[in-house]
């Protein structure tokens, strides 16, 4: 056996050890061994191996560092969600929305830093920003997804993390004739105990001459899920007043109160969220080649996601005045008692001193979570071969997305006679002094009732030319220009109802409330009560909106004024919309030279861009704010509508270079260097402002039209060893030096409308500079020729390590926060088996903890704990045209956990449950 074969065998065995203990034999090739007569039989690779082989070939042929995920066949993308397939790519991590992949991060950079293209075109988003929601698309419609980790001049600017190009099927890329694929399945959710249907169909036709083809696809997905959560909104550094006593104490005065600066939890409670998610996606492509030198492709895509969420929570709000406060050596609160009405009545001296004016409450909160998102995209592409040396590529496209959603935060509550006892740690507990499932004890409180919409419209066109002369090592030029115009508009309408009945002084009829089982996010323990109360928010608002209730409001003359509230204080005023809009015009051009010599190739390019943006907003002016007579909230006095407009522009030159060396016939070494940028999302650049909070902790937020783009200098090196058409091992190093990084920060300011308060302002700002560097290891191997017992088995695995150093102003956030969305370590591994009848795959994906936002001011950061999830799939071919399949998601019922600076500073525990899809695939 020669040395190269020995080296390949050792590497293959090391890859296999990532997932299984396997016998390491002496051969690592996909080829079928010779028959007894010495002849070699050809093997047609299909199924999982075909997908891996296609992805590997795509990776190998690129000049830069690129990874890919390919469909095994039409309608057979590896996962039920595109984001969940992409997480198997080295360095790609996902963020889930109620258990389903929605956003991706690449090499530690969050979703807003990754360009997402559909067939090379930018898609609009339903987020109000640039981050792309992968859950609006069906994976059945996708043929391949490419992840460009190094920049090249032909790629649209904007992806500091990566550029992802999702490609749909093309009818002229397959065989002549027609084919149809139908998938029908049933989905079961373990928390909701519900079954829902899913169906998709794909049709493709190409004529015998292969110069005309049409394909179409339709997918409908229905999912009913339930999430259980335990949650605390934040940890804040506050002046905490500790009443020294216990719940039975009487006659306490101001002398029995001690004030200390402590880290205080903002709230604690439990939440049930029932979700219905219905998605319809349709796609069609027509291809026509008028001649051998002219090719035309037209695409249309439609997506509609109707997500309905019924969210109800029970929560204890933590005022910074509590009884028997316990804390550790670090000044972190570890427990306290929340006084009830009996304690307040027994200690009038505290009320007289203004220390404890009312009892704490047990709140029931309905939150808005609905999402009706519609996307429509068109595009036409024309390619001409003008001569053997010249090619021309023109593309025009348009995309628009609209989303509407209710923004509800509606609170009813009880004022308990007996106090509650709370402890805080990695698993907090609360012992309610009174029952929380008594419908006759509920009182009215704050009502936030808004309707919000986002509209994202994009038009873009590009014209590229390619020149490929035969001039030695110089292999030609790619060049082109593009122009795009994009506008994101946000409109909201609100009811000025927040403080109309706040304060728990209005009793409510028990008929509005229903005793409901309370799910346990911990799976057991945690002191979670068995039941709580749910209610219909619209029935609740209708009751409060009755004219007979106005005399019980906090300001009867104000809320009875028909010139201000013609339909009552609970009704949304559609005559006074709050509006912000951002329009962005981008012109760019690029040139990229191609080079190739004996054993090497590369590209050297330059991209130029000019951006002009205009941010405008129309909203009411806040004139003043006074404390509510029955609560610690503020009644806000609004003035007339006001419009504000801010313009901005900037240029950028973005060079890039990539070179690839063939070390041997199956080993490659790549180097890359580039400058990239990510523009602020249009939603971040609005001019809106909002105010909220309570006495002692007033908040504000909104957009920032003065944001600058984030910039990065990038350096990459990658080593790749291709052991066969399916098997490989690779290692990569990368470094990004970033500046003007955008992050959510909290700054303390003074606002004239709140003259006695420090206002805690949270919004996106240009923040730190720093360095992100890391390493990637990856490999895949089929064990077919190691040992007969391992025939059909294979493994894929990868590992990513990312280290980051950030430098930011100490008043803009804790310096230990790092970069939002960045996990230091992540890995995933899949073990698969397949033969002519049966396929099985088990996958595990894990990512280290990461920061969601850095907080700032008096608020601590929000971090998400390390998370690992196990998924599995089975396929059985009944015939060549008919197969059964089963997909199981989150087999071990992994839970999402969030905390502040450490595990004892609990924020959230989310139990999403398991999901199982059982289906039938038919090919005609």
């Amino acid at each position: 056996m020669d040395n190269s074969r020995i080296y390949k065998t050792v590497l293959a065995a090391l890859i296999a050890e990532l997932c299984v203990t396997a016998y390491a034999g002496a051969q690592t090739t996909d080829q079928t061994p010779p028959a007894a007569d010495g002849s070699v039989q050809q093997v047609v690779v299909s199924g999982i191996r075909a997908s891996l082989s296609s992805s590997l070939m795509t990776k190998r042929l690129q000049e830069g560092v690129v990874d890919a995920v390919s469909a095994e066949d039409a309608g057979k993308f590896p996962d039920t969600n595109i984001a969940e397939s992409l997480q198997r790519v080295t360095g790609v991590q996902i963020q889930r929305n109620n258990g389903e992949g929605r956003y991706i991060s690449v090499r530690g950079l969050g979703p807003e830093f990754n360009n997402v293209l559909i067939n090379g075109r930018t898609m609009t988003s339903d987020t109000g920003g640039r981050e792309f929601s992968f859950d609006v698309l069906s994976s059945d419609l996708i043929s391949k997804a490419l992840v460009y980790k190094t920049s090249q001049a032909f790629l649209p600017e904007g992806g500091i993390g990566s550029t992802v190009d999702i490609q749909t099927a093309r009818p002229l890329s397959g065989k002549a004739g027609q084919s149809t694929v139908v998938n029908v399945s049933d989905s079961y959710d373990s928390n909701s105990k519900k079954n829902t249907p899913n169906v998709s169909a794909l049709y493709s036709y190409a004529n015998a001459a292969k110069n005309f083809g049409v394909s179409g696809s339709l997918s409908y997905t229905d999912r009913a899920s339930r999430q259980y959560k335990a949650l605390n909104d934040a940890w804040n550094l506050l002046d905490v007043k500790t009443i020294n006593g216990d719940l039975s104490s009487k006659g306490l005065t101001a002398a029995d109160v001690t004030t200390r600066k402590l880290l205080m939890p903002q709230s604690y409670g439990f939440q049930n969220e029932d979700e219905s998610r219905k998605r319809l996606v349709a796609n069609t492509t027509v291809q026509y080649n008028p001649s051998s030198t002219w090719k035309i492709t037209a695409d249309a895509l439609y997506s509609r996601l109707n997500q309905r969420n019924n969210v109800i929570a029970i929560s204890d709000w933590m005022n910074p005045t509590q009884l028997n406060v316990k804390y550790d050596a670090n000044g972190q609160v570890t427990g306290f008692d929340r006084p009830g009405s009996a304690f307040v009545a027994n200690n009038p001296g505290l009320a007289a001193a203004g220390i404890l004016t009312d009892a704490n409450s047990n709140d029931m909160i309905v939150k808005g979570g609905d999402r009706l998102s519609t996307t429509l995209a068109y595009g036409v592409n024309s390619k001409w071969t003008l001569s053997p040396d010249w090619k021309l590529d023109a593309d025009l496209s348009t995309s628009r997305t609209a989303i509407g959603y209710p923004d509800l935060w509606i609170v009813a509550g009880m004022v308990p006679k007996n106090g509650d006892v709370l402890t805080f740690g990695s698993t907090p507990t609360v012992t309610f002094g009174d029952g929380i499932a008594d419908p006759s004890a509920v009182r009215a409180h704050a009502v936030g009732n808004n309707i919000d919409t986002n509209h994202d419209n994009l038009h873009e066109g590009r014209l590229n030319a390619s020149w490929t002369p035969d001039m030695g090592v110089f292999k030609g030029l790619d060049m082109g220009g593009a122009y795009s115009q994009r506008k994101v508009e946000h409109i909201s309408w609100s009811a000025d109802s927040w403080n109309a009945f706040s304060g728990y002084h209005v009793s409510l009829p028990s008929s509005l409330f229903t005793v409901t089982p309370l799910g346990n996010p911990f799976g057991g323990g945690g002191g979670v009560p068995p039941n709580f109360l749910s209610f219909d928010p619209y029935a609740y608002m209708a009751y409060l909106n009755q004219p007979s209730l106005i005399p019980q409001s906090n300001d009867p003359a104000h809320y009875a004024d028909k010139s201000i509230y013609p339909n009552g204080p609970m009704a949304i005023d559609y005559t006074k919309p709050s509006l912000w809009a951002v329009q962005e015009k981008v012109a760019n051009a690029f040139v990229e030279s191609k080079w190739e010599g004996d054993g090497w190739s590369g590209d050297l390019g330059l991209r130029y861009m000019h951006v002009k943006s205009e941010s405008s907003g129309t909203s009411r002016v806040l004139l003043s704010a006074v404390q509510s007579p029955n609560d610690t909230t503020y009644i806000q006095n609004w003035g007339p509508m006001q419009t504000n407009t801010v313009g901005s522009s900037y240029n950028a030159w973005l060079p890039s270079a990539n070179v690839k060396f063939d070390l041997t016939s199956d080993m490659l070494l790549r180097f890359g260097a580039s400058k990239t940028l990510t523009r602020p999302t249009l939603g971040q650049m609005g001019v809106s402002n909002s105010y909220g909070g309570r006495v002692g902790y007033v908040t504000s937020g909104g957009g920032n039209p003065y944001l600058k783009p984030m910039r990065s200098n990038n350096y990459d090196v990658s080593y790749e060893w291709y052991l066969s058409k399916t098997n490989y091992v690779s290692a990569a190093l990368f470094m990004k030096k970033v500046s003007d990084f955008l992050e959510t920060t909290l700054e303390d300011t003074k606002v004239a409308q709140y003259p006695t308060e420090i206002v805690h302002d949270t919004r996106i700002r240009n923040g730190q500079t720093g360095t992100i560097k890391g390493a990637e290891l990856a490999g895949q191997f089929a064990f077919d020729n190691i040992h007969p017992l391992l025939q059909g088995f294979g493994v894929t695995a990868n590992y990513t390590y990312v280290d980051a150093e950030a430098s930011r102003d100490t008043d803009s956030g804790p310096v230990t926060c790092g970069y939002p969305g960045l996990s230091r370590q992540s890995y995933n591994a899949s073990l698969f088996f397949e033969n002519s009848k049966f396929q099985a795959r088990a996958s595990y994906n894990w990512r280290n903890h990461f920061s969601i936002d850095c907080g700032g001011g008096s608020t601590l950061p929000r971090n998400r704990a390390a998370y690992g999830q196990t998924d599995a799939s089975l396929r059985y071919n009944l015939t060549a045209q008919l197969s059964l399949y089963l997909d199981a998601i989150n087999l071990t019922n992994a839970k999402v956990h969030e905390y502040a600076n450490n595990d004892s500073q609990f924020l959230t525990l989310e139990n999403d449950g398991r999901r199982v899809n059982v289906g039938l695939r038919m090919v005609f």
Side-chain angles (χ1 to χ4, degrees), residues 255-298:
D256 299 298
V257 177
T258 304
T259 301
R260 293 182 178 86
K261 185 76 76 173
L262 297 173
L263 286 169
M264 181 81 174
Q266 186 168 298
S267 63
Y268 184 64
F270 309 101
Q271 176 176 302
N272 283 3
E273 181 171 351
D274 289 302
E275 178 185 280
S276 169
R277 186 180 300 207
K278 303 178 190 296
R279 182 181 61 205
L280 178 66
V281 183
N283 179 69
T284 185
T285 299
V286 177
Q287 289 188 294
Y288 175 53
N289 301 342
S291 70
S292 61
T293 60
W294 186 13
K295 300 179 180 180
I296 302 173
T297 302

Side-chain angles (χ1 to χ4, degrees), residues 580-610:
W580 62 257
V582 180
Q583 182 168 290
E584 181 181 70
K585 298 177 181 179
V586 182
N588 52 55
F590 80 93
V591 60
E592 185 172 85
S593 58
K594 305 290 187 180
W595 307 83
E596 185 176 348
D598 186 16
W600 65 274
S601 63
D603 59 66
L604 178 65
L606 180 65
R607 190 173 187 89
Y608 169 78
M609 60 167 293
H610 174 75

Side-chain angles (χ1 to χ4, degrees), residues 18 59 65 67 86-94 105-109 147 149 161 716 728 730-736 772-779 797-804 821-829 844-849:
L18 289 170
K59 177 181 178 69
V65 180
D67 285 298
L86 286 172
Q87 72 178 329
R88 314 209 191 288
V89 171
T90 312
V92 177
Q93 304 153 346
I94 70 172
S105 298
V106 180
R107 289 179 166 180
L109 289 163
V147 181
K149 297 179 181 177
D716 292 83
Y728 86 104
S730 70
L733 299 173
F734 60 89
M735 181 171 68
K736 299 176 183 293
I772 300 173
K773 53 189 175 182
E776 298 175 338
L777 296 172
N798 60 67
Y799 168 81
T800 302
Y801 175 82
V802 182
D803 185 29
L822 187 148
S823 289
R824 184 176 291 269
Q825 299 182 80
S826 64
Y827 63 84
N828 66 74
Y844 182 73
N845 297 272
W846 181 89
R847 66 179 298 184
N848 211 184
H849 70 273

Side-chain angles (χ1 to χ4, degrees), residues 367-389:
K367 306 175 185 179
D370 293 353
R371 176 178 163 218
L372 180 57
S373 171
T374 303
T375 297
L376 188 60
Y378 303 97
V380 61
N381 178 270
S382 184
K383 300 180 186 294
W384 295 272
T385 301
L386 304 178
S387 71
D389 295 343

Side-chain angles (χ1 to χ4, degrees), residues 49-294:
R49 283 169 174 75
S51 172
L52 297 178
S53 179
S54 175
S55 299
L56 194 60
M57 182 60 67
T58 299
K59 177 181 178 69
R60 183 171 187 170
L61 294 177
Q62 301 294 322
E63 292 297 338
V65 180
V66 180
D67 285 298
V69 181
S70 302
E72 299 174 30
D73 199 352
K76 288 180 67 177
F77 210 64
D79 295 273
T80 58
N81 178 282
I82 299 172
E84 290 165 0
S85 287
L86 286 172
Q87 72 178 329
R88 314 209 191 288
V89 171
T90 312
V92 177
Q93 304 153 346
I94 70 172
Q95 295 180 30
R96 291 177 169 85
N97 171 236
N98 292 344
E100 185 171 344
R102 184 177 182 186
Y103 301 122
I104 66 166
S105 298
V106 180
R107 289 179 166 180
L109 289 163
E112 65 271 31
F113 302 101
N114 297 287
N115 259 353
V116 177
L117 313 174
I118 307 293
N119 296 320
R121 302 168 182 135
T122 305
M123 285 285 289
T124 47
S125 171
D126 70 351
T127 64
R130 300 187 200 277
E131 55 271 29
F132 184 75
S133 298
F134 283 88
D135 58 357
V136 302
L137 294 180
S138 169
S139 62
D140 291 335
L141 315 182
I142 308 304
S143 64
K144 183 176 287 187
L146 288 81
V147 181
Y148 293 87
K149 297 179 181 177
T150 56
S151 183
Q152 293 175 261
F154 75 89
L155 293 172
E157 70 282 342
I160 286 180
S162 71
T163 295
V164 179
D165 189 11
I166 298 171
Q167 299 179 358
T168 59
R170 294 292 192 250
L172 295 186
S173 298
K175 298 179 180 180
Q178 59 183 342
S179 64
T180 302
V181 178
V182 177
N183 277 304
V184 179
S185 67
D186 174 85
S187 180
Y188 173 77
D189 181 87
S190 65
N191 281 355
S192 68
K193 312 295 185 188
K194 291 182 178 180
N195 295 78
T196 49
N198 307 282
V199 61
S200 66
L202 299 91
Y203 173 80
S204 181
Y205 166 78
N207 64 0
K210 292 293 292 289
N211 62 3
F212 176 78
V214 60
S215 63
S217 57
L218 185 68
S219 173
Y220 175 76
T221 304
D222 192 354
R223 182 186 171 204
S225 64
R226 174 175 291 176
Q227 292 76 41
Y228 302 130
K229 295 181 182 180
L231 63 166
N232 162 32
D233 291 328
W235 284 82
N236 301 308
L237 184 62
L238 302 174
D239 291 321
V240 177
K241 294 182 174 64
T242 300
I243 303 172
N244 302 307
D246 55 41
L247 290 170
S248 61
S249 297
K250 299 180 180 180
L252 300 179
T253 66
D256 299 298
V257 177
T258 304
T259 301
R260 293 182 178 86
K261 185 76 76 173
L262 297 173
L263 286 169
M264 181 81 174
Q266 186 168 298
S267 63
Y268 184 64
F270 309 101
Q271 176 176 302
N272 283 3
E273 181 171 351
D274 289 302
E275 178 185 280
S276 169
R277 186 180 300 207
K278 303 178 190 296
R279 182 181 61 205
L280 178 66
V281 183
N283 179 69
T284 185
T285 299
V286 177
Q287 289 188 294
Y288 175 53
N289 301 342
S291 70
S292 61
T293 60
W294 186 13

